[in-house]
Amino acid sequence: MARFLAKRIAGAFVVLALVSLMSFAIIWLVPGDPTAAFLDTSATPEQVARLRHELGLDQPMIIQMLDWYGRILHGDLGHSILLNRSVTAAILERLPVTLSLAGVALTLALIAGVSAGIVAAVNHNRWPDQVVMTAALFGLSVPDFWLGIMLILLLAVKFDFFPTGGYVPISEDPLGWLDSIVMPAMTLAVIQVGFIARMTRASMLEVLNQDFIRTADAKGLTRTEIMLHHGLPNALVPVLTVAGIVAGALLGGAVIIEQVFSIPGVGRLIIGGILSRDYPVIQGGLLFLAVIYLGVNLAVDILYAAVDPRVRLE
Amino acid sequence: MARPILEVKGLTTTLAGGTITILEDVSFGLQPGEVLGVVGESGSGKSMLALSVMGLLPKAVRRTAGRIVLDGEDLAALSPDRWRERRGSDLAMIFQEPMTALNPVMRVGDQVAEVLRRQGIPAKKARQETINLFRKVEIPSPEQRVRGYPHELSGGMRQRVMIAIALAANPKVLIADEPTTALDVTVQAQILDLLRKLQKERGLSLVFITHDLGVIAEIADRVLVLYAGRVAEIAPVRKIFDNPQHPYTRALLASIPEIDRPRGRLVTIEGAVPSIGAMPKGCRYASRCPFRRDICEQESPRLGLVSSDQAAACVQPFGFEKPQEEALA
Ligand SMILES: Nc1ncnc2c1ncn2[C@@H]1O[C@H](COP(=O)(O)OP(=O)(O)O)[C@@H](O)[C@H]1O
Ligand code: SF4
Ligand SMILES: [Mg+2]
């Protein structure tokens, strides 16, 4: 177990090093000059040169890189001149918004997806199976931003069940928070529900054909007991392996959904940064999302080892 | 004779379509405390017989006729739910493949305790009883082992766990379907010894399935010989070995490799079992039988008594003389 974890943590650090390198390199990869955001076209070459010096852009690349690593290791993601505050503070302020959106979506996706998958598998080739599979295919095919707009039009504009957008912090008003988060989280979760439902179904069907299910049957256990104690724990092992991927996809999807529902999260911060060429914000935001993504995957690995004793051997 | 604890009468199973029969008109009785060996080549329907009694036939296979009377009660007449309640209490089964028969993500002790819990035994007592059962099936350091997972155990140890699961039910009838076939030779002997010992100690009524007559000789009181889904012969073990009545039983005996047999004379039975989709109208063994006559192929020979405790399904059983080795040559 300790070795398994050590391997995973080491792996996460390698990925982190690469991701931070890429975040740094964005400034070189994206066309246009970072100074353009701060100076209008009439700026003199001297003004440009002075700003480049202030931003450290006149240093050799290797120095800039070391400088970048030195800063991020201290949690300093730089200063956004446009926002006039530190990038770290700007991100931390918006992080709970994005995390609650992705977290609620993940919870919804797991509960709905796993339940639907079980219902389908238990009723293999009968009508509930067909209903679930059709719905799952629909969920996988519908673009989430389109679904989001449709939901806003229907549930917010026409029926006024939910606000059209915006965000209420849970600390201010828990019910208002729920009201503001349900529709975007549902929109975000739909694709993943389809994905998880199909995984769970396939995995469950495979497990139900295994010898140990017949053993459970020979013990005289009821169908429900067999499903809950023997079928499900085994069927969930492969589902858990994709939970990390799902969480990553939800974080990515949140960037779009935050736009659709005008939610002030990290995604909107990054997109705002891109539109205004606010490089420290882009770099810091991406790095932050990557760190969260890696953290989630590490947590899933630990959970995985807890569920499947065979993994702990490796 | 006492009333049999298990009596199977006229059991017939078909593939769900209905035209292909897997077991045909199988009947036998099992006395309390008796070991009935069931022997037959692979594919002869041994596992289907076991699963029929358990009420665990695969979806594709259906029982179309027959009674399965356990301690006076016809299981075949019960609802599936009532039959299920007999499993893990009156009926228990040990399977051929210990490597896959246990749940890989559940502690082995819990897989035994689960059966005890069903009988209303409280969790703590069930845990203690599981340790006792592990000791009974001779698993070393049972206190630690109950907390282990199947992948930490060898095939032989897993089969011991399966035996403990079966014993936990305290069944009226235990069915062991080739419990040693998948194991190494030395382990086979240990598991066989263990089963024999437990059977004696507890007076288990045991249906022991194997394709190996050598194993039958060691454990069985009576033997049922299955050929292509039909009973070829049923008799006390001594009569099967000393005075077999069905030509197939003789051929099986001749195919046992023996130490005192001259080298290179290992006999195999010529020909092949007819495929289940193409069973002949008459005797199913006819295509391989050196004694075949015209009448053999006209209708299926009934299982007829040769003596008070021996029956064979052959139009011309051998009678009471000693088997003639030459006849088989
Ligand atoms: N799950 C199944 N579905 C349909 N037919 C099966 C199934 N399992 C076994 N059979 C058929 O039933 C016959 C008897 O098989 P089985 O009882 O497993 O033989 P044995 O245990 O003697 O080797 C075989 O012809 C086999 O093809
Ligand atoms: S009935 Fe005929 S073919 Fe069948 S075993 Fe007897 S002698 Fe052989
Ligand atoms: Mg078999």
Side-chain angles (χ1 to χ4, degrees):
Chain A
M1 183 73 182
R3 260 191 52 203
F4 168 79
L5 275 186
K7 256 165 66 180
R8 292 304 152 108
I9 292 172
F13 269 103
V14 171
V15 177
L16 195 57
L18 287 173
V19 168
S20 55
L21 189 61
M22 279 191 269
S23 300
F24 166 74
I26 281 169
I27 210 163
W28 303 94
L29 295 177
V30 178
D33 193 305
T35 56
F38 311 111
L39 300 169
D40 54 46
T41 41
S42 63
T44 63
E46 287 75 34
Q47 284 174 308
V48 173
R50 201 169 58 237
L51 185 62
R52 287 182 68 83
H53 179 74
E54 276 172 22
L55 292 174
L57 293 172
D58 56 347
Q59 301 283 330
M61 179 154 45
I62 186 83
I63 301 289
Q64 287 188 41
M65 193 172 83
L66 289 176
D67 183 45
W68 153 256
Y69 271 109
R71 283 193 290 112
I72 63 173
L73 283 180
H74 291 95
D76 174 8
L77 295 173
H79 186 83
S80 165
I81 297 171
L82 288 180
L83 299 173
N84 193 23
R85 62 192 304 198
S86 96
V87 173
T88 312
I91 288 175
L92 285 180
E93 179 190 281
R94 286 147 186 264
L95 192 63
V97 182
T98 301
L99 284 187
S100 60
L101 176 59
V104 172
L106 181 64
T107 313
L108 281 177
L110 282 174
I111 293 175
V114 168
S115 320
I118 293 172
V119 168
V122 171
N123 296 289
H124 186 38
N125 282 344
R126 291 199 293 272
W127 69 262
D129 185 19
Q130 280 142 13
V131 169
V132 167
M133 288 316 281
T134 311
L137 188 63
F138 178 76
L140 277 173
S141 327
V142 62
D144 50 7
F145 62 87
W146 178 85
L147 182 69
I149 293 167
M150 283 327 217
L151 284 177
I152 292 176
L153 288 177
L154 191 72
L155 298 181
V157 177
K158 191 158 168 58
F159 290 112
D160 205 19
F161 288 153
F162 295 107
T164 54
Y167 179 79
V168 180
I170 192 168
S171 52
E172 268 174 30
D173 173 7
L175 275 181
W177 171 78
L178 202 63
D179 220 24
S180 68
I181 207 84
V182 164
M183 213 162 49
M186 257 169 36
T187 309
L188 189 53
V190 161
I191 294 180
Q192 307 306 329
V193 172
F195 178 57
I196 293 174
R198 280 157 69 123
M199 279 282 306
T200 307
R201 173 181 178 272
S203 163
M204 192 77 172
L205 285 178
E206 198 189 310
V207 166
L208 291 181
N209 263 325
Q210 308 255 318
D211 280 357
F212 62 79
I213 294 294
R214 193 181 53 189
T215 304
D217 218 343
K219 290 174 177 174
L221 301 177
T222 62
R223 189 136 177 87
T224 315
E225 286 171 326
I226 294 175
M227 292 293 166
L228 291 183
H229 300 336
H230 296 276
L232 197 55
N234 281 281
L236 282 185
V237 171
V239 175
L240 205 56
T241 58
V242 299
I245 298 171
V246 168
L250 288 174
L251 278 176
V255 174
I256 310 289
I257 294 302
E258 283 172 10
Q259 302 303 309
V260 176
F261 288 90
S262 328
I263 294 174
V266 180
R268 274 193 103 198
L269 182 70
I270 294 175
I271 292 201
I274 291 172
L275 293 178
S276 59
R277 291 185 192 280
D278 193 346
Y279 283 83
V281 165
I282 305 173
Q283 290 177 318
L286 288 180
L287 185 60
F288 221 91
L289 286 184
V291 170
I292 292 173
Y293 180 67
L294 288 173
V296 167
N297 271 284
L298 203 58
V300 166
D301 280 340
I302 293 169
L303 211 60
Y304 186 40
V307 170
D308 189 346
R310 288 164 296 186
V311 177
R312 296 175 218 154
L313 268 192
E314 287 168 19
Chain B
M1 237 190 252
R3 184 179 76 172
I5 187 77
L6 174 70
E7 202 173 8
V8 171
K9 284 185 186 162
L11 175 65
T12 301
T13 62
T14 62
L15 277 181
T19 48
I20 297 173
T21 59
I22 292 178
L23 292 172
E24 189 172 75
D25 197 20
V26 172
S27 300
F28 65 88
L30 176 73
Q31 296 299 320
E34 184 188 37
V35 181
L36 177 72
V38 174
V39 69
E41 286 164 281
S42 163
S44 57
K46 304 182 298 293
S47 295
M48 288 303 133
L49 177 58
L51 295 172
S52 298
V53 174
M54 293 296 290
L56 289 177
L57 280 175
K59 274 206 194 74
V61 182
R62 241 205 325 264
R63 191 191 64 254
T64 50
R67 304 207 292 150
I68 295 159
V69 182
L70 177 72
D71 204 12
E73 179 180 45
D74 184 7
L75 300 177
L78 294 179
S79 69
D81 216 38
R82 297 285 303 284
W83 199 337
R84 173 186 63 71
E85 285 168 8
R86 297 296 181 282
R87 296 195 287 273
S89 57
D90 294 344
L91 285 168
M93 180 164 172
I94 302 166
F95 297 94
Q96 180 173 343
E97 262 305 330
M99 300 314 275
T100 53
L102 291 167
N103 180 344
V105 306
M106 194 186 219
R107 294 178 196 280
V108 287
D110 293 344
Q111 303 192 40
V112 177
E114 192 172 40
V115 180
L116 299 166
R117 299 281 289 122
R118 261 200 71 215
Q119 300 157 14
I121 297 175
K124 214 170 137 203
K125 189 141 175 280
R127 220 170 301 138
Q128 188 50 48
E129 183 56 23
T130 299
I131 293 172
N132 292 342
L133 282 167
F134 270 39
R135 203 168 283 127
K136 260 266 167 302
V137 298
E138 294 162 15
I139 294 175
S141 35
E143 288 87 355
Q144 283 82 53
R145 275 293 172 223
V146 289
R147 287 198 299 275
Y149 287 93
H151 71 265
E152 298 161 355
L153 302 177
S154 66
M157 282 301 148
R158 292 190 207 190
Q159 198 60 300
R160 285 170 199 269
V161 173
M162 286 300 294
I163 296 172
I165 289 173
L167 292 181
N170 197 16
K172 289 177 179 163
V173 171
L174 172 59
I175 303 175
D177 185 6
E178 308 210 36
T180 62
T181 305
L183 305 171
D184 294 343
V185 182
T186 48
V187 183
Q188 280 188 12
Q190 292 164 8
I191 295 291
L192 191 62
D193 281 348
L194 174 68
L195 277 171
R196 211 163 41 175
K197 192 169 130 195
L198 291 168
Q199 190 274 328
K200 287 236 158 58
E201 260 176 39
R202 303 190 157 213
L204 291 172
S205 313
L206 176 65
V207 176
F208 191 100
I209 296 175
T210 174
H211 62 261
D212 185 349
L213 268 177
V215 172
I216 287 283
E218 288 197 47
I219 195 165
D221 301 316
R222 278 193 313 134
V223 183
L224 185 157
V225 180
L226 209 54
Y227 185 81
R230 296 206 55 167
V231 178
E233 180 163 5
I234 180 163
V237 66
R238 286 265 51 89
K239 290 196 174 178
I240 287 289
F241 282 91
D242 294 347
N243 188 15
Q245 291 300 308
H246 196 284
Y248 176 61
T249 314
R250 290 202 170 190
L252 269 185
L253 285 167
S255 69
I256 304 178
E258 277 179 44
I259 300 159
D260 56 354
R261 197 187 293 277
R263 280 171 50 124
R265 263 210 60 199
L266 199 130
V267 186
T268 53
I269 307 174
E270 294 233 343
V273 188
S275 71
I276 54 166
M279 282 298 167
K281 179 155 80 78
C283 174
R284 292 185 167 188
Y285 188 53
S287 63
R288 301 162 89 182
C289 180
F291 308 101
R292 179 188 55 239
R293 295 187 309 177
D294 287 346
I295 58 160
C296 302
E297 294 174 53
Q298 275 151 27
E299 73 183 280
S300 193
R302 287 172 41 96
L303 187 66
L305 278 180
V306 182
S307 66
S308 66
D309 57 1
Q310 183 164 25
C314 176
V315 294
Q316 47 176 8
F318 290 105
F320 293 92
E321 85 282 14
K322 281 275 174 190
Q324 301 158 311
E325 281 276 330
E326 314 83 68
L328 289 170

